[in-house]
Amino acid sequence: MKLKKSLILVGTPLIIFVLILVCFQLQSKSTTLNDINKNLDVGEIKLGMPERAVTQYWGQGELINGFGGHRREYIDKKIKVEFSDDRDNDLYQKVGSLEFTNTNYSIFLIKVGDEKNIAMKKILSNGFKPMDNAQDRFVKNFILLSLLRIKGL
């Protein structure tokens, strides 16, 4: 009986700690996603937005199927919007990735065509870290930011 009580006394705080840790992780991801969206200017579209909302704003676009997901390309807007088809993904059927060449769009006030050193300073000042052996890729928590169309890359 004492062993059972001891297990309950030890197990309950452990379970509570794990639940707090899980809640913290979910809140951390949410906060990061919200922070990214606050600094993202691609019209009405935001990361985590359901696909049906995207198509309501911009129409169907060109559907391109891929492995583990699909994208909708909006040629006139110069943007590709990617969605996960993996039910285990937190962003299942939601905007999980954006790729744009439209000079009117920006992230952290960085636009296509900006100078590399200025863009990198803006990214680093927002808490991103360079990925190993990649001059144009940066990571913060679960967010990957790649600068593929910056002058000087």
Side-chain angles (χ1 to χ4, degrees):
M1 192 67 159
K2 280 186 173 188
L3 181 59
K4 215 178 214 184
K5 284 183 182 180
S6 295
L7 287 175
I8 290 172
L9 289 174
V10 171
T12 302
L14 183 61
I15 291 170
I16 292 170
F17 174 74
V18 170
L19 288 175
I20 290 171
L21 187 61
V22 167
C23 289
F24 177 76
Q25 288 287 7
L26 291 175
Q27 183 179 3
S28 172
K29 285 182 181 180
S30 175
T31 301
T32 302
L33 194 60
N34 289 335
D35 290 343
I36 297 297
N37 281 333
K38 286 178 192 173
N39 292 286
L40 178 66
D41 181 12
V42 289
E44 304 84 1
I45 307 306
K46 299 293 180 189
L47 290 170
M49 178 181 279
E51 183 173 8
R52 69 183 175 281
V54 173
T55 58
Q56 284 173 344
Y57 281 120
W58 287 357
Q60 296 298 310
E62 181 183 339
L63 182 64
I64 302 167
N65 290 310
F67 182 75
H70 63 280
R71 72 169 47 171
R72 293 188 179 275
E73 185 170 1
Y74 297 93
I75 296 168
D76 58 324
K77 297 184 183 311
K78 299 180 181 178
I79 190 168
K80 297 171 186 169
V81 184
E82 294 188 16
F83 305 90
S84 172
D85 292 331
D86 180 357
R87 292 184 187 275
D88 292 331
N89 189 318
D90 291 342
L91 296 175
Y92 172 65
Q93 295 186 338
K94 296 179 181 174
V95 176
S97 175
L98 297 164
E99 181 182 326
F100 55 90
T101 57
N102 188 326
T103 56
N104 294 319
Y105 297 153
S106 67
I107 179 125
F108 298 112
L109 302 175
I110 302 165
K111 293 187 174 197
V112 173
D114 285 354
E115 294 294 329
K116 177 183 174 183
N117 60 342
I118 294 170
M120 289 177 62
K121 284 180 185 176
K122 289 178 183 178
I123 292 168
L124 296 172
S125 71
N126 280 285
F128 283 82
K129 305 285 183 213
M131 289 186 66
D132 295 334
N133 302 320
Q135 297 177 14
D136 60 347
R137 294 183 186 181
F138 303 86
V139 68
K140 179 179 180 182
N141 294 338
F142 67 103
I143 303 289
L144 172 67
L145 182 58
S146 296
L147 301 175
L148 303 176
R149 304 253 187 233
I150 301 296
K151 287 181 184 175
L153 285 182

